[in-house]
Amino acid sequence: MSWTDERIEKLTKMWEGGATASQIADELGGVSRNAVIGKAHRLGLKARPSPVKPNEKPARAPAAAPAAAPKKAKPVDAAPAPARAPEPQPEAPVARAAPPAPAAPAPAPRAAEPAAAPSTEPAAAPQPRIVSVGPGGFLRQGPGDQQQPIPPAPPRRLVPAKPSADIAGKTSLLDLNDRICRWPMGHPGEPDFHFCGEKVNPGFPYCVEHCGRAYQAQLPRGARRPPPPLPFGGPRVR
DNA sequence: CCCTGATTCGC
DNA sequence: GCGAATCAGG
């Protein structure tokens, strides 16, 4: 299989949509998970929560291997050339004139340090907030009013945080009890997935109508009719 | 072991 | 450019 435009597009969409490489490969067909990952990288759409540590980066130069334990001596570059890795060490500022280099990321211009204020005055007299409205309607803050550590914690992915408008008023999983019909409407995971919600046919988990769908008399052989649609609408088409 | 993504490297 | 092999964490 080759990477046609369609396939690349699908790969890109799914990758960005959060699908795993396996899922994508499965979907595209004819390619392996590795192929998908490799292609994704070549396309430049990296950056995904990787199971592997983003930690120390030996950069594939474990030259300092402890006595060396090459599981598989690769025919190539088997020789650990000593002349390698001219990694620019951040240290050893040998002959460097030291201009006003802000080496340490010291506490940046912090607006206020009320904590270490041994001031006799009870800290912070309630000053009237100076707030104005800027163009566009945003609230303008005075200096020092910066509300800093508010990392908005980007949404994880795909999972609707709250019931969408589609499902408003519909019977959700939490609404189920043994008096209402739990016949599924739509597919689980989809935004408007819900349950029938009608009053059940007493003694059954479904309403009368859906009991009719769920429980069907076995017809004699040869007189079978095409099977009715299954719950969930049958197997997912993909 | 299964899964995941990252990386390498021969092709 | 491609992807199997390999690695490494969960």
Side-chain angles (χ1 to χ4, degrees):
Chain A
M1 275 302 209
S2 61
W3 286 107
T4 64
D5 286 356
E6 285 90 358
R7 291 164 65 78
I8 290 180
E9 184 183 353
K10 192 165 192 174
L11 160 60
T12 305
K13 233 197 273 178
M14 292 186 69
W15 184 271
E16 289 175 348
T20 68
S22 298
Q23 291 170 331
I24 299 173
D26 190 45
E27 188 91 3
L28 291 173
V31 284
S32 68
R33 182 182 70 93
N34 278 325
V36 168
I37 294 176
K39 183 59 180 174
H41 284 194
R42 266 172 259 124
L43 287 173
L45 25 93
K46 272 201 303 290
R48 285 241 260 160
S50 160
V52 75
K53 263 187 195 170
N55 271 0
E56 299 303 319
K57 48 209 182 277
R60 284 296 158 187
K71 294 181 178 180
K72 284 198 175 181
K74 297 208 170 181
V76 184
D77 90 324
R84 183 185 271 197
E87 194 79 22
Q89 295 291 338
E91 300 183 74
V94 181
R96 182 183 300 171
R110 190 74 50 101
E113 296 291 352
S119 156
T120 56
E121 290 300 320
Q127 292 182 331
R129 273 284 150 100
I130 302 179
V131 176
S132 63
V133 179
F138 67 88
L139 286 187
R140 201 174 254 159
Q141 291 178 323
D145 285 351
Q146 320 267 349
Q147 40 185 359
Q148 219 178 18
I150 300 290
R156 196 62 181 103
R157 67 171 62 152
L158 291 184
V159 185
K162 56 180 69 171
S164 65
D166 294 331
I167 208 172
K170 306 273 182 62
T171 303
S172 80
L173 181 62
L174 296 177
D175 297 326
L176 290 181
N177 61 45
D178 50 15
R179 281 176 298 281
I180 67 178
C181 177
R182 51 189 66 211
W183 190 267
M185 315 288 278
H187 294 86
E190 286 179 355
D192 64 339
F193 175 67
H194 62 285
F195 296 91
C196 167
E198 279 295 314
K199 287 190 177 65
V200 295
N201 188 10
F204 294 94
Y206 306 121
C207 67
V208 176
E209 177 193 340
H210 287 134
C211 275
R213 302 254 246 131
Y215 306 105
Q216 308 216 357
Q218 192 78 289
L219 293 176
R221 280 198 173 272
R224 295 276 174 88
R225 295 195 302 157
L230 296 167
F232 302 103
R236 283 281 237 162
V237 283
R238 58 167 71 188

Short mmCIF file of all heavy atoms in Angstrom, two decimals, chain A residues 57-90:
data_model
loop_
_atom_site.label_atom_id
_atom_site.label_comp_id
_atom_site.label_asym_id
_atom_site.label_seq_id
_atom_site.Cartn_x
_atom_site.Cartn_y
_atom_site.Cartn_z
N LYS A 57 17.79 12.43 27.98
CA LYS A 57 17.93 12.10 26.56
C LYS A 57 19.37 11.73 26.24
O LYS A 57 20.18 12.57 25.87
CB LYS A 57 17.52 13.29 25.72
CG LYS A 57 18.14 14.58 26.18
CD LYS A 57 17.25 15.76 25.86
CE LYS A 57 17.94 17.03 26.30
NZ LYS A 57 17.72 17.28 27.70
N PRO A 58 19.70 10.48 26.39
CA PRO A 58 21.06 10.03 26.05
C PRO A 58 21.31 10.19 24.57
O PRO A 58 22.40 10.01 24.10
CB PRO A 58 21.05 8.54 26.42
CG PRO A 58 19.82 8.34 27.25
CD PRO A 58 18.85 9.40 26.82
N ALA A 59 20.28 10.53 23.86
CA ALA A 59 20.41 10.81 22.42
C ALA A 59 21.06 9.67 21.69
O ALA A 59 21.86 9.86 20.80
CB ALA A 59 21.20 12.10 22.20
N ARG A 60 20.64 8.49 22.06
CA ARG A 60 21.15 7.32 21.36
C ARG A 60 22.67 7.27 21.35
O ARG A 60 23.28 6.94 20.37
CB ARG A 60 20.64 7.31 19.92
CG ARG A 60 19.21 6.89 19.81
CD ARG A 60 19.03 5.46 20.26
NE ARG A 60 17.64 5.23 20.63
CZ ARG A 60 17.25 4.09 21.18
NH1 ARG A 60 18.11 3.16 21.43
NH2 ARG A 60 15.99 3.90 21.49
N ALA A 61 23.26 7.67 22.39
CA ALA A 61 24.71 7.58 22.48
C ALA A 61 25.09 7.07 23.85
O ALA A 61 25.75 7.75 24.61
CB ALA A 61 25.36 8.93 22.21
N PRO A 62 24.61 5.88 24.15
CA PRO A 62 24.98 5.32 25.45
C PRO A 62 26.40 4.82 25.41
O PRO A 62 26.70 3.74 25.86
CB PRO A 62 23.98 4.18 25.63
CG PRO A 62 23.63 3.76 24.23
CD PRO A 62 23.81 4.97 23.35
N ALA A 63 27.25 5.63 24.84
CA ALA A 63 28.65 5.24 24.71
C ALA A 63 29.23 4.89 26.07
O ALA A 63 30.09 4.04 26.19
CB ALA A 63 29.45 6.37 24.07
N ALA A 64 28.70 5.57 27.05
CA ALA A 64 29.19 5.32 28.39
C ALA A 64 28.55 4.07 28.96
O ALA A 64 28.32 3.98 30.14
CB ALA A 64 28.91 6.52 29.27
N ALA A 65 28.24 3.16 28.08
CA ALA A 65 27.61 1.94 28.54
C ALA A 65 28.47 1.25 29.57
O ALA A 65 29.68 1.12 29.38
CB ALA A 65 27.38 1.01 27.34
N PRO A 66 27.86 0.84 30.61
CA PRO A 66 28.62 0.16 31.67
C PRO A 66 29.16 -1.16 31.19
O PRO A 66 28.45 -2.14 31.15
CB PRO A 66 27.57 -0.03 32.77
CG PRO A 66 26.24 0.09 32.07
CD PRO A 66 26.45 0.97 30.89
N ALA A 67 30.37 -1.18 30.80
CA ALA A 67 31.06 -2.39 30.32
C ALA A 67 30.44 -2.94 29.04
O ALA A 67 30.83 -3.97 28.57
CB ALA A 67 31.06 -3.48 31.39
N ALA A 68 29.49 -2.22 28.58
CA ALA A 68 28.86 -2.57 27.32
C ALA A 68 28.15 -3.91 27.37
O ALA A 68 28.73 -4.92 27.67
CB ALA A 68 29.89 -2.59 26.18
N ALA A 69 26.86 -3.86 27.07
CA ALA A 69 26.13 -5.11 26.97
C ALA A 69 25.25 -5.05 25.73
O ALA A 69 24.05 -5.06 25.81
CB ALA A 69 25.27 -5.33 28.21
N PRO A 70 25.88 -4.96 24.60
CA PRO A 70 25.13 -4.86 23.35
C PRO A 70 24.36 -6.14 23.10
O PRO A 70 24.93 -7.16 22.75
CB PRO A 70 26.20 -4.64 22.29
CG PRO A 70 27.46 -5.14 22.90
CD PRO A 70 27.32 -5.04 24.39
N LYS A 71 23.07 -6.07 23.31
CA LYS A 71 22.27 -7.28 23.15
C LYS A 71 22.50 -7.87 21.77
O LYS A 71 22.66 -9.04 21.60
CB LYS A 71 20.80 -6.95 23.34
CG LYS A 71 20.50 -6.52 24.75
CD LYS A 71 19.05 -6.22 24.91
CE LYS A 71 18.74 -5.84 26.35
NZ LYS A 71 17.33 -5.54 26.52
N LYS A 72 22.44 -6.98 20.82
CA LYS A 72 22.69 -7.45 19.46
C LYS A 72 23.73 -6.56 18.83
O LYS A 72 23.46 -5.40 18.54
CB LYS A 72 21.41 -7.40 18.63
CG LYS A 72 20.46 -8.52 18.96
CD LYS A 72 19.45 -8.68 17.86
CE LYS A 72 18.56 -9.89 18.13
NZ LYS A 72 17.60 -10.06 17.07
N ALA A 73 24.87 -7.13 18.68
CA ALA A 73 25.93 -6.34 18.07
C ALA A 73 25.54 -6.02 16.64
O ALA A 73 25.47 -6.89 15.79
CB ALA A 73 27.23 -7.12 18.10
N LYS A 74 25.25 -4.78 16.43
CA LYS A 74 24.87 -4.42 15.07
C LYS A 74 26.11 -4.39 14.19
O LYS A 74 27.13 -3.86 14.60
CB LYS A 74 24.20 -3.05 15.07
CG LYS A 74 22.94 -3.08 15.87
CD LYS A 74 21.98 -2.06 15.35
CE LYS A 74 20.64 -2.27 16.01
NZ LYS A 74 19.67 -1.33 15.51
N PRO A 75 25.97 -4.97 13.02
CA PRO A 75 27.11 -5.02 12.12
C PRO A 75 27.64 -3.62 11.84
O PRO A 75 28.83 -3.41 11.72
CB PRO A 75 26.54 -5.64 10.84
CG PRO A 75 25.06 -5.53 10.98
CD PRO A 75 24.76 -5.52 12.44
N VAL A 76 26.73 -2.73 11.79
CA VAL A 76 27.17 -1.37 11.50
C VAL A 76 27.54 -0.66 12.80
O VAL A 76 27.01 -0.95 13.84
CB VAL A 76 26.02 -0.59 10.81
CG1 VAL A 76 26.52 0.78 10.42
CG2 VAL A 76 25.54 -1.37 9.62
N ASP A 77 28.42 0.18 12.67
CA ASP A 77 28.93 1.04 13.74
C ASP A 77 29.17 0.25 15.02
O ASP A 77 28.96 0.71 16.10
CB ASP A 77 28.01 2.24 13.96
CG ASP A 77 26.92 1.95 15.00
OD1 ASP A 77 26.43 0.81 15.05
OD2 ASP A 77 26.60 2.87 15.74
N ALA A 78 29.60 -0.98 14.79
CA ALA A 78 29.90 -1.80 15.95
C ALA A 78 31.04 -1.20 16.75
O ALA A 78 31.19 -1.46 17.92
CB ALA A 78 30.27 -3.21 15.50
N ALA A 79 31.81 -0.42 16.06
CA ALA A 79 32.94 0.18 16.75
C ALA A 79 32.51 1.45 17.46
O ALA A 79 32.14 2.42 16.81
CB ALA A 79 34.05 0.48 15.74
N PRO A 80 32.56 1.41 18.73
CA PRO A 80 32.21 2.61 19.49
C PRO A 80 33.26 3.68 19.31
O PRO A 80 34.18 3.80 20.11
CB PRO A 80 32.15 2.11 20.93
CG PRO A 80 32.98 0.86 20.95
CD PRO A 80 32.90 0.27 19.57
N ALA A 81 33.12 4.37 18.23
CA ALA A 81 34.14 5.38 17.94
C ALA A 81 34.25 6.38 19.08
O ALA A 81 33.26 6.94 19.50
CB ALA A 81 33.78 6.10 16.64
N PRO A 82 35.43 6.51 19.56
CA PRO A 82 35.63 7.47 20.67
C PRO A 82 35.42 8.90 20.19
O PRO A 82 35.08 9.77 20.95
CB PRO A 82 37.08 7.23 21.07
CG PRO A 82 37.71 6.63 19.86
CD PRO A 82 36.64 5.88 19.13
N ALA A 83 35.66 9.08 18.92
CA ALA A 83 35.52 10.44 18.39
C ALA A 83 34.07 10.66 18.01
O ALA A 83 33.69 10.64 16.86
CB ALA A 83 36.44 10.62 17.18
N ARG A 84 33.29 10.81 19.01
CA ARG A 84 31.87 11.02 18.71
C ARG A 84 31.25 11.92 19.77
O ARG A 84 31.83 12.16 20.81
CB ARG A 84 31.14 9.69 18.70
CG ARG A 84 29.70 9.87 18.32
CD ARG A 84 28.97 8.59 18.43
NE ARG A 84 29.03 7.83 17.17
CZ ARG A 84 28.21 6.83 16.90
NH1 ARG A 84 27.32 6.48 17.75
NH2 ARG A 84 28.31 6.20 15.77
N ALA A 85 30.11 12.32 19.42
CA ALA A 85 29.32 13.11 20.36
C ALA A 85 30.06 14.34 20.84
O ALA A 85 30.48 14.42 21.99
CB ALA A 85 28.90 12.27 21.56
N PRO A 86 30.26 15.25 19.96
CA PRO A 86 30.84 16.53 20.38
C PRO A 86 29.76 17.37 21.05
O PRO A 86 29.62 18.54 20.79
CB PRO A 86 31.30 17.15 19.07
CG PRO A 86 30.40 16.56 18.03
CD PRO A 86 29.93 15.23 18.53
N GLU A 87 29.04 16.70 21.87
CA GLU A 87 27.91 17.37 22.53
C GLU A 87 28.39 18.62 23.25
O GLU A 87 29.25 18.55 24.12
CB GLU A 87 27.29 16.43 23.55
CG GLU A 87 25.95 16.89 24.04
CD GLU A 87 24.85 16.58 23.05
OE1 GLU A 87 25.05 15.68 22.20
OE2 GLU A 87 23.83 17.25 23.10
N PRO A 88 27.87 19.72 22.87
CA PRO A 88 28.28 20.97 23.51
C PRO A 88 27.86 20.98 24.96
O PRO A 88 26.69 21.11 25.26
CB PRO A 88 27.53 22.03 22.70
CG PRO A 88 26.41 21.29 22.04
CD PRO A 88 26.86 19.88 21.86
N GLN A 89 28.80 20.80 25.78
CA GLN A 89 28.48 20.81 27.20
C GLN A 89 28.11 22.21 27.64
O GLN A 89 28.80 23.16 27.33
CB GLN A 89 29.70 20.33 28.00
CG GLN A 89 30.06 18.90 27.73
CD GLN A 89 29.02 17.92 28.29
OE1 GLN A 89 28.27 18.27 29.19
NE2 GLN A 89 28.97 16.74 27.73
N PRO A 90 27.01 22.26 28.33
CA PRO A 90 26.59 23.58 28.82
C PRO A 90 27.57 24.13 29.85
O PRO A 90 27.56 25.29 30.19
CB PRO A 90 25.23 23.29 29.46
CG PRO A 90 25.25 21.83 29.74
CD PRO A 90 26.13 21.19 28.70
#
